[in-house]
Amino acid sequence: MATVLMCRRFPRLSRVTAFSTTAKRKAERGSGKSKKEKRDKPGAAKTGTESGVTIQLLKPQDYRVLYNPAAYAKGRAGSQQHGDRDSSQALSDMFTGPGTVQAPETFPSASSQALSPIRNALPKPKSSTLLEHTVLAMLYKEEAEKEKREVYNSKEDPRVFQKGRPEYRSLSCHSSEPAPTLPAEEGDSILQSVAGCEGSPGILTDYFLKLSRLPAERRAALASDPRFSALCHHTVMAIRLFSTPDLIQILKACVPLAVPASHPLLDVFEAEFCRRAWDMGLEQLLLVADCWRCLDRNVPSYLGILFSYANLHWRDLTLPQFVQLLYIIGEGRRSPTDLVQKVESTILKHLDAFTLEELGAICLGLFKSLSGISDHVMRRIADRVSLQMEDMSTYALVNVLKMLRYTRMDHLPLMRELRRVIPARIPATNIQGIMHITLTYSSLHFFDKDVLAAVAASLPSKVSYCRSKDAAKFLWSFGCLDYEPPNEEEFYSSLIKQLHAKLHEFSKFPEHLLTALLGLAFVKRFPEELIDFALREEFVQKTRGSKYELNKDLFTLGKSVEIECPTYQGSLLPPQLCQEFTEMISSFAEQEIYVRPEIVEATSLLESILGGPEYVKNHMILPHTRSSDLEVRLAADGHPIPFNFKDPVAAKKLKDMGVSLTDDLMSQLVQGRAHIQSPTEVGNEATIPNRERGDVTGTPCLGGALPAGTKSQVEPKPGCWQPQEVRLALQVSNRNHFCYGSKRLLGLHCLKRRQLRLLGYVVVEIPFWEWFPLLKRTRSEKLSYLHYKVFCPALLTKA
């Protein structure tokens, strides 16, 4: 493989607090345009204060793995605008000259945007020796083989299921059907005779069929040939004279001819097929839909007719027709709501008769169309797959995992079998298949060290094929499961470098950058330049305008940087934005989190143990971590300290009026103190209401202990902590905080506990496997359990 030595500046990476700011980064902040120009030149050398020599593959910057199954990419308006249009009017737009026709697109795995890295990177030699020719030939062959392994045709792989039954030949357009190739000279003869053609439908159909059998390079030149335009002209003028089978034959011929999806000929054909649809059979309707799929043309009106027709003739559907219909539904990204129940009943009816590849196609169709499916049906599919997984292709298996993830189905037999089968397959699986496997584990919170280690070992060599989305999902999955693999440095550094390489994509897909950076933050990694980019005002505005809800992720990232990276001097979230996010999350917590029975019960019992509601506070110490804490404060001697005053303004008025907080008054206020205070203790606590206003909003009041850049809602004052005061953050957890069936915390909750400790809190776990069973026991047992948790001698000694 061709290599070139390049000097590159390594991206700065901080783990927890290892941050520094260089003059170069500051200078770059004001010259975004020049940075973009450098990124657009893949061969440009980069220099900086920190540099190193790396071996980099020659690869165009915009090289991407070809996985674009978004069929029917054209909009609805473009599909319908010619529906009732006169044929002659369509021709006036179409045949104005040979230069007006779009260049054709070839369908197998290579496209103009995904040419071999060697082909795009190396100039053609003007003169070469035999040795040079030999070396270049070997390099081309090596790159072609690598492309074949990594880049698969999105129109072919989803159609592997069609090879399992001969019935699919009449339902689908097989672009790879064996047919004798005609010599190029015969193509010229056909085109010469077009001028004298009188528009006989039979002759025109025969011309299209013969032209579709020309050599590929000759077919590619047809789009710019005026004689081919004349052939299309004659076809459109005689459109009403064609029989439906002849029209279908011409449409099938357009696939190997690589007629562009926007070609006016296809506009006329779409309108004609919509007009004839109700007179066609289901087999013909499915075949035409498959042709549109292969031509990458969006035909919502036609699909609507197809789905309505299928709904009326549902009982007549054969098994292959049903599978082909679900494939079309998935590729069209449309989910007909009136078919959901019929789809489920048909799946159950034929479940044992489906091939494994057909099951994969069914799951992919449901996943792409975002079709809901009941737990019962998904479990039945998973039952079958878990028994025959070894006989299933990896592609079909990944499609089942997508649907398993979508339905949030925990199916232990399948996951156990997956652990046995999938690690050995990962090295031969393309990068997006690996991504979906990994994302399934993280989405289901299922930790499997063997699978994750196999993914991590395979990824660095394939990382250049990662889209921004793929890199983000890998980082999120490993961070979510809080797993750092044996090759963690190589694994993370390769993905971070890929994020830098894909930086230009994040303006269009801001959610991917936030996903990636959060996954890194979970495992204490903070790449400085990427974080600075993500927290800049212009990027924050892009996240605010995204179709996804990114506010919570942005808030978690911004506040985590403030707490864990005290020397970081890059961009930060503005205080008013943090205030807005805090209010949003607090409002949600009041309705959904604080009222959970296990938390309400723990709060009530702690109030009884400690002496009243003043001694315990149910709130979010760290709002950006999106889960509640029960805060308790203890003095050096272990006695609880009151701090949760419901009305701090009233308390301040009492203080300003000169009312002395004596022992008797304090006893009345707290209604049953658990112990008698000394005058010194009372004097210390007299200032609590005044300095606890910051705590009312959920922001810890730590005085000078806050990291640089942290903005509290109320500016803390030095000495906010009482001498030798212990602040406990009790965590009433639930199953969603842990990996499936284990006591392993998920990444977000690891991050939360780590940050609480950094802020001086003692984290006390009240895990669900201990607390939930106690909820059904006696009050005295629950009191005893919580008393031990708060007053554990070992905990106080450690604190």
Side-chain angles (χ1 to χ4, degrees):
M1 183 177 292
T3 59
V4 60
L5 289 175
M6 299 181 64
C7 294
R8 294 190 62 187
R9 178 172 180 262
F10 289 113
R12 298 174 62 87
L13 176 66
S14 292
R15 294 208 60 178
V16 187
T17 58
F19 260 79
S20 62
T21 304
T22 64
K24 181 178 184 299
R25 186 188 60 73
K26 291 181 179 178
E28 288 174 343
R29 185 182 303 175
S31 58
K33 182 178 180 181
S34 62
K35 290 173 69 177
K36 183 179 185 300
E37 292 173 352
K38 292 180 182 179
R39 288 197 300 269
D40 293 340
K41 299 177 181 178
K46 299 181 181 180
T47 59
T49 56
E50 296 178 6
S51 62
V53 178
T54 61
I55 296 178
Q56 180 180 344
L57 299 180
L58 280 170
K59 181 173 72 69
Q61 189 73 14
D62 60 348
Y63 177 77
R64 298 198 304 177
V65 175
L66 275 186
Y67 180 71
N68 182 25
Y72 317 114
K74 192 178 174 188
R76 177 182 292 268
S79 166
Q80 295 175 337
Q81 62 184 349
H82 301 288
D84 300 318
R85 191 178 181 181
D86 186 78
S87 301
S88 60
Q89 178 63 34
L91 290 175
S92 67
D93 296 337
M94 173 181 176
F95 307 109
T96 55
T100 62
V101 183
Q102 269 186 263
E105 300 172 4
T106 54
F107 268 96
S109 60
S111 75
S112 60
Q113 291 185 348
L115 294 175
S116 164
I118 295 296
R119 291 198 294 271
N120 274 4
L122 291 179
K124 295 180 180 179
K126 295 181 180 179
S127 61
S128 303
T129 63
L130 178 62
L131 177 61
E132 289 173 331
H133 279 299
T134 304
V135 171
L136 282 174
M138 293 175 63
L139 292 175
Y140 279 123
K141 182 178 179 181
E142 183 180 348
E143 285 300 320
E145 289 176 351
K146 186 169 185 178
E147 275 189 350
K148 187 176 180 181
R149 289 195 303 268
E150 286 290 344
V151 184
Y152 60 86
N153 184 357
S154 65
K155 298 176 187 59
E156 296 300 328
D157 269 5
R159 302 154 69 84
V160 173
F161 70 92
Q162 295 172 350
K163 299 178 181 179
R165 300 179 193 271
E167 294 91 333
Y168 287 112
R169 298 185 68 83
S170 61
L171 301 174
S172 58
C173 176
H174 288 266
S175 59
S176 60
E177 281 183 345
T181 302
L182 296 180
E185 296 77 15
E186 188 165 344
D188 289 330
S189 175
I190 292 171
L191 293 174
Q192 287 292 349
S193 62
V194 168
C197 177
E198 296 181 357
S200 168
I203 295 175
L204 293 174
T205 302
D206 186 59
Y207 284 171
F208 272 97
L209 293 177
K210 288 182 177 179
L211 291 175
S212 70
R213 291 162 50 196
L214 291 174
E217 62 275 8
R218 185 68 186 90
R219 296 199 307 266
L222 288 177
S224 58
D225 194 319
R227 296 172 298 179
F228 182 73
S229 296
L231 176 61
C232 294
H233 171 85
H234 289 304
T235 303
V236 169
M237 295 301 295
I239 191 73
R240 298 293 174 91
L241 302 179
F242 286 91
S243 67
T244 299
D246 282 345
L247 279 184
I248 294 175
Q249 288 301 312
I250 295 176
L251 190 63
K252 286 182 67 175
C254 288
V255 175
L257 287 171
V259 176
S262 59
H263 199 288
L265 174 69
L266 300 184
D267 293 340
V268 178
F269 267 57
E270 180 187 344
E272 186 64 17
F273 277 117
C274 286
R275 190 180 69 85
R276 299 188 185 196
W278 289 103
D279 298 322
M280 296 164 61
L282 185 57
E283 187 174 279
Q284 291 178 318
L285 289 170
L286 289 170
L287 175 56
V288 170
D290 200 62
C291 291
W292 293 130
R293 164 70 189 116
C294 291
L295 289 165
D296 267 341
R297 184 175 173 90
N298 183 20
V299 286
S301 296
Y302 180 84
L303 290 182
I305 296 172
L306 169 62
F307 299 152
S308 297
Y309 189 102
N311 193 30
L312 290 175
H313 298 83
W314 193 264
R315 293 184 178 180
D316 301 330
L317 280 175
T318 64
L319 185 150
Q321 288 174 343
F322 170 73
V323 178
Q324 182 70 12
L325 177 63
L326 278 188
Y327 165 73
I328 295 297
I329 288 174
E331 297 308 303
R333 303 303 200 275
R334 294 188 61 189
S335 176
T337 54
D338 53 347
L339 296 182
V340 173
Q341 290 185 348
K342 294 179 178 179
V343 166
E344 290 199 359
S345 62
T346 306
I347 290 175
L348 294 176
K349 175 183 175 182
H350 297 295
L351 184 60
D352 295 330
F354 291 129
T355 66
L356 294 172
E357 299 306 309
E358 286 173 333
L359 275 180
I362 289 170
C363 287
L364 183 61
L366 294 172
F367 178 79
K368 284 184 175 180
S369 60
L370 301 178
S371 300
I373 187 173
S374 67
D375 287 353
H376 173 67
V377 175
M378 189 65 235
R379 193 168 294 280
R380 289 287 305 277
I381 293 175
D383 287 341
R384 167 121 191 258
V385 170
S386 63
L387 295 176
Q388 298 177 283
M389 189 178 295
E390 284 189 342
D391 301 325
M392 198 173 197
S393 71
T394 304
Y395 181 82
L397 179 57
V398 167
N399 291 337
V400 173
L401 294 182
K402 289 178 182 179
M403 202 59 198
L404 198 74
R405 186 176 86 225
Y406 182 75
T407 56
R408 309 291 295 179
M409 173 67 66
D410 55 330
H411 194 280
L412 286 178
L414 186 144
M415 299 304 289
R416 292 192 185 110
E417 186 68 8
L418 199 64
R419 172 190 297 175
R420 189 179 66 83
V421 170
I422 208 64
R425 294 192 185 188
I426 283 176
T429 304
N430 64 56
I431 199 69
Q432 292 182 351
I434 299 174
M435 181 272 287
H436 281 294
I437 292 169
T438 310
L439 190 58
T440 298
Y441 278 87
S442 65
S443 297
L444 299 179
H445 298 170
F446 203 95
F447 178 77
D448 191 307
K449 186 176 180 180
D450 294 339
V451 173
L452 295 177
V455 169
S458 176
L459 190 63
S461 63
K462 302 185 178 197
V463 75
S464 62
Y465 295 102
C466 283
R467 303 165 300 172
S468 58
K469 175 181 179 179
D470 300 323
K473 298 299 185 183
F474 280 121
L475 290 171
W476 169 265
S477 297
F478 276 71
C480 177
L481 297 173
D482 190 38
Y483 177 65
E484 295 189 88
N487 63 331
E488 59 177 289
E489 292 306 326
E490 180 189 22
F491 174 79
Y492 282 109
S493 63
S494 66
L495 283 170
I496 291 172
K497 287 180 182 178
Q498 188 66 3
L499 293 181
H500 280 268
K502 297 294 183 181
L503 200 61
H504 59 284
E505 294 183 14
F506 295 129
S507 294
K508 186 176 181 181
F509 306 107
E511 63 274 10
H512 297 334
L513 182 57
L514 290 183
T515 296
L517 292 178
L518 275 182
L520 287 167
F522 291 161
V523 292
K524 300 179 286 186
R525 294 176 183 267
F526 296 89
E528 176 182 328
E529 293 179 353
L530 292 174
I531 290 172
D532 179 53
F533 180 84
L535 297 182
R536 291 178 189 172
E537 182 179 355
E538 55 269 27
F539 187 84
V540 170
Q541 290 304 316
K542 290 184 182 299
T543 66
R544 304 276 277 172
S546 171
K547 63 180 179 179
Y548 299 101
E549 171 53 58
L550 302 179
N551 292 338
K552 293 178 181 179
D553 291 344
L554 190 65
F555 189 33
T556 301
L557 176 65
K559 300 303 289 185
S560 294
V561 170
E562 292 182 17
I563 293 172
E564 300 205 48
C565 308
T567 60
Y568 169 75
Q569 297 180 20
S571 303
L572 293 171
L573 291 179
Q576 63 272 19
L577 199 57
C578 293
Q579 173 70 22
E580 178 186 332
F581 292 160
T582 298
E583 292 173 356
M584 174 188 68
I585 293 174
S586 297
S587 175
F588 171 79
E590 289 174 358
Q591 300 176 23
E592 302 291 337
I593 299 178
Y594 300 153
V595 296
R596 290 176 181 168
E598 66 272 17
I599 295 177
V600 171
E601 180 78 354
T603 305
S604 175
L605 292 169
L606 283 170
E607 290 174 357
S608 299
I609 294 172
L610 300 174
E614 298 83 2
Y615 295 90
V616 58
K617 186 173 185 178
N618 178 11
H619 68 136
M620 290 185 292
I621 298 174
L622 304 177
H624 64 276
T625 59
R626 296 170 250 167
S627 56
S628 68
D629 312 270
L630 298 181
E631 184 176 353
V632 172
R633 302 184 185 180
L634 303 176
D637 58 1
H639 289 141
I641 299 173
F643 68 98
N644 183 25
F645 295 91
K646 301 296 183 182
D647 190 355
V649 176
K652 183 178 186 300
K653 287 181 180 178
L654 287 175
K655 183 174 183 292
D656 293 340
M657 289 172 61
V659 178
S660 300
L661 296 178
T662 62
D663 285 349
D664 292 339
L665 180 56
M666 285 297 296
S667 298
Q668 295 176 36
L669 289 173
V670 301
Q671 296 179 358
R673 281 288 301 268
H675 68 287
I676 302 298
Q677 288 183 290
S678 67
T680 303
E681 289 174 308
V682 173
N684 288 339
E685 291 181 6
T687 60
I688 289 176
N690 198 31
R691 60 182 170 82
E692 286 303 332
R693 294 177 204 169
D695 287 349
V696 171
T697 61
T699 303
C701 185
L702 301 180
L706 279 173
T710 299
K711 301 292 184 181
S712 299
Q713 293 171 9
V714 175
E715 201 62 29
K717 298 179 181 180
C720 190
W721 290 92
Q722 289 195 32
Q724 298 182 338
E725 177 183 284
V726 179
R727 293 196 179 188
L728 307 181
L730 284 78
Q731 307 298 303
V732 183
S733 62
N734 59 57
R735 289 174 176 82
N736 291 332
H737 296 179
F738 297 85
C739 292
Y740 182 86
S742 75
K743 299 179 181 179
R744 183 187 186 91
L745 276 171
L746 295 172
L748 176 62
H749 301 284
C750 288
L751 173 142
K752 175 186 176 179
R753 285 149 178 76
R754 185 172 72 238
Q755 292 179 4
L756 284 171
R757 294 186 184 100
L758 285 173
L759 294 176
Y761 284 87
V762 176
V763 177
V764 179
E765 292 288 349
I766 304 180
F768 73 90
W769 59 84
E770 294 177 356
W771 182 237
F772 280 31
L774 276 174
L775 293 177
K776 301 177 181 179
R777 307 296 290 270
T778 64
R779 176 180 172 83
S780 60
E781 288 176 292
K782 289 181 279 191
L783 289 171
S784 176
Y785 173 83
L786 291 175
H787 187 278
Y788 176 79
K789 284 290 184 180
V790 173
F791 297 106
C792 174
L795 182 67
L796 292 173
T797 302
K798 181 180 178 181

